Structure formats: structure tokens, C-alpha cells
Amino acid sequence: MKILITGGAGFIGSHVVRLFVNKYPNYQIFNLDKLTYAGNLANLTDIEDKDNYTFLKGDIVDAAYVDGIFNEHQFDAVVHLAAESHVDRSITDPLAFVYTNVIGTVNLLNTARKQWADNLQDHVFYHISTDEVYGSLGKEGLFTEETAYDPRSPYSASKASSDHFVRAYYHTYGLPVKISNCSNNYGPNHFPEKLIPLAINNIRNEKPVPVYGKGENVRDWLYVIDHARAIDVIFHEGKVGETYNIGGVNEWKNLDLIELLCDQMDEKLGREQGHSRKLITFVKDRAGHDLRYAIDSSKLMNELGWKPSVTFEEGLSKTVDWYLQHPEWLENVTSGNYQSYYDQQYVSR
Ligand code: NAD
Ligand code: DAU
């Protein structure tokens, strides 16, 4: 089977590519990525020489390019992760999110529909989405697959739009699709603009850790490898036309989470307990900041038998260890050097 994974050089995509390349040696895995600031081939050095892995540098917004690679490689399936993914960036530059998340997704859908027209039922287009499409919860309740969409940031509006297009191609053209909506991920290779890796990097460097507002917003955190495991299960066993929510049953107020992280890092760095908490700095709140996300994953757990493999304390500890053991990764992505890694390694392919 030939599978096109988009966004495979990013945070979650790199874990999905690694899992598929290692677990399914008979599959041919193609990783299509534009290598934006968030794409980093250093995330994949351990598998880049495997026979069943091919990297394709390209932009999903370029319809002719997308047509061309489908013609050349005749993919059987798509696992679509490529996106602009950071809420704060979407507030300053919404159009970038419309181009990649909406137009890029529709380009992939159009090409898949044309290419697979003769035997649609033998293919699958699996779209990876977010719980943010459901909006913001109050103190009670969970997002289920039936929760009405209510996106509130330009990022979540663009992801909601892409989800609607994916479902429209299922209903209108019979394209076999699957969608999953996941909560906040954390783990190795997370770009240090997002809360957890930013805080780890700043604590490591004894710099202020910015907490928006009063730190009372709640997120439901899932270890990235557990998300990749869920994607594997849904890709192989999920029903066509269905949506699956993925979450960690693991809600944390931002401030509580950052305090836990400070305490774990004080212990690992041999600092006095309480030292890093002094770095916590309350800053201006995010515009339109969603109060709470929390996911009901019982459909995925009951129907497909998936459950998270690590507790949050274990996952966070493994994550901190990974960043402390890979200071060069952090330094490269914060200095922009990872772009030259691409130029050196891949420009001639
Ligand atoms: P990321 O920003 O780390 O990676 C995105 C990748 O997509 C990068 O490698 C980037 O180079 C690539 N990309 C961006 N624009 C492209 C384009 N036009 N053409 C080709 N490639 C392009 O994102 P992530 O956090 O790994 O998220 C991956 C997917 O999972 C996204 O669709 C996101 O909406 C979704 N998601 C993320 C989370 C999370 O907590 N990070 C949770 C739920 C869902
Ligand atoms: O819920 C899934 C979503 O989770 C994904 O779809 C997004 O791609 C992903 O980026 C993430 O969105 P969030 O906005 O929840 O993640 P972020 O790490 O940016 O912020 C987490 C929380 O921490 C949020 O309440 C804002 C807050 N925050 C964030 C940053 C960057 C801070 O308090 N300080 C910060 O410096």
C-alpha cells in the first residue's frame, strides 16, 4: 500500500510517519511537507534512510503539484496532517490559515477524488483535526462527536471549514473519508512556541514563563505517541464516513500544569524546589481565549479498543527528559538552523 502522509516533518506528523514506517515495512510511506518554520527533517533522521520512506518537498496549496505527485506515485490512501497549527499566529495572520488549512485540504480532496474515481471504495482519505472546532466549554461537560461546531479562533475556523469540506466530499462524491478530532498533544519534537515546549525551554534557560491571563484556562493533554497510536487504529479499523474524538481524559489548568513542570524540572536539574516557579509571569491574555477543552473519547475506546499508554506525569517526565537530552534540537529550531539542515541533506533529491 502507498500512503501519502502530509505534514510529516511537523510535530505530530513525524511521530505518525515513524510509527507507520517502522510498523508496516510492506507499506510505502510518502511524506509531503512544505517545510515551513514548523517542519523539521531533523525530526526524522532515524528513519530517513529506510527503503519504505520517501520525502517529497511541496506545498498542498499548489494544486498542479498535488496532481503531479498523485499521478507519479498512485497513492492508495492519504493521512492529512499538514496545517498551520498555532492559534496565536492565526490571530495575527488568518489568511495563511485559510490557504493551507482550507484551500490545501480542498486541493487534496479534489485530486484524490479524480485519481480514485474508478475504484473509490479501495481508498481512504483520513483527515486529522482538532477538538477546537467544537468551541469552548464551561466548567462542566465534554466534547462528543455530536457536539455542534462552534469555532472561535481563525485557526479553529479554518480547521472546522476543512472538516466540513471533507464531510462534503463524502456525502457529495462518495469519497471514503475518516476524521479524528484530538485534544492538545505534548511530547518530543513539539515546536517551542506552544505552551509546554516553550515553558521547558524557558525554565531550562531561566527565562520568564509567560502564562496568559490568570492561567485558569483548561486543556486536555495527550502524549503525542498515543495520538499516533490512535491514528494508526482509526486508519486501519475506523469506519468510513465516521468521526472519532481522541483525548487523554487529562484536564489541567494552565497554571497547575506549569507549576508541575517547574517542580519536575527543579528535581531533574538539581535546583531547589520552588526555584523555577519564580519564573512564572502572568501576561496579557490571548484574544478570544477559549476557557476549557475536554474530550469524550469513549467511542474510540469502546469501538476500537484504544486507550492512552502513559499517565500525564510519566509523559511529561519523558518529554522533559527528551528536551534536556536534545539541547541542539531546541537551539536549532530557535535559531532557524534547521532550514540549513534541509538545504544540506535534501536539496539534490
Ligand atoms: P505542526 O505545525 O507541528 O506541523 C505542521 C506541518 O505541516 C509542518 O511540518 C509544516 O511544514 C507542514 N505544512 C504547513 N503548511 C504546509 C503546506 N502548505 N503544504 C505542505 N506542508 C505544510 O503541527 P502539529 O501540531 O503537528 O499538527 C498536525 C495536525 O494535527 C494539524 O492538522 C493540526 O491541526 C492537528 N492537531 C494538532 C494538535 C496539537 O496539539 N498540536 C491537536 C489536535 C490536532
Ligand atoms: O486542542 C488542540 C489544539 O491544541 C491544537 O489543535 C493546536 O494545533 C495546538 O496548538 C493546541 O492549541 P492551544 O492554543 O490549546 O495550545 P497552546 O500550546 O498554544 O496553548 C495552550 C494553553 O496555554 C492555552 O490556554 C494558551 C496558554 N498559553 C499558551 C502559550 C503559548 C499560555 O498561557 N502561555 C503561552 O506562552
Side-chain angles (χ1 to χ4, degrees), residues 151-163:
R152 295 151 49 99
S153 72
Y155 164 69
S156 54
S158 69
K159 291 296 291 188
S161 173
S162 66
D163 292 10

Side-chain angles (χ1 to χ4, degrees), residues 85 130-132 155 184 195 198 210 212 219 254 286 289:
S85 68
T130 170
D131 61 355
E132 298 197 13
Y155 164 69
N184 286 62
L195 179 67
L198 177 79
Y212 296 166
R219 297 292 183 265
N254 290 339
R286 171 183 282 172
H289 197 171

Side-chain angles (χ1 to χ4, degrees), residues 10-12 33-34 36 39 59-60 81 85 100 129 155 159 185:
F11 167 46
I12 301 169
D33 201 295
K34 182 182 174 183
T36 67
D59 187 344
I60 59 170
L81 295 107
S85 68
T100 287
S129 192
Y155 164 69
K159 291 296 291 188
N185 286 217

